[in-house]
Amino acid sequence: DVQLQASGGGMVQPGGSLRLSCTVSGGTFDNYAIAWFRQAPGKEREGVSVISISDGSVYYGDSVRGRFTISSDNAKNTVALQMNSLKPEDTAVYYCAADKTGWGTFKYWEYDYWGQGTLVTVSS
């Protein structure tokens, strides 16, 4: 049974930083692609960043490129999302998800396992 546990959300002022973490238990972590999605009230789910664990390739959404960094710690089965220069429009519930094919896209319907979500609020 594969489970994802997301953590690290909270409230921060504009320009601040937060670090999200996603810990994966069960399954074969090295074969996965792990992505972060977010969903703000009244908006569609948006792909934020994805990392292919097998080769380390990473991708970012246009709205976060240059501000967010995704990384993995394969020994701990954990993926982190470092978020810098946060903006009010980054406010959303952030979810981590695992694609067992390892391809890693922003097509949320292709992901097999999901974490519970963690709320990020950027406000002064």
Side-chain angles (χ1 to χ4, degrees), residues 17-64:
S17 298
L18 280 174
R19 185 177 181 86
L20 305 183
S21 182
C22 177
T23 301
V24 182
S25 59
T28 308
F29 182 78
D30 290 353
N31 292 346
Y32 293 161
I34 305 295
W36 288 96
F37 292 88
R38 67 185 182 186
Q39 189 163 20
K43 295 188 176 181
E44 293 189 354
R45 194 168 302 186
E46 175 190 12
V48 175
S49 185
V50 58
I51 183 167
S52 178
I53 302 302
S54 62
D55 64 8
S57 57
V58 300
Y59 302 94
Y60 297 96
D62 291 341
S63 61
V64 306

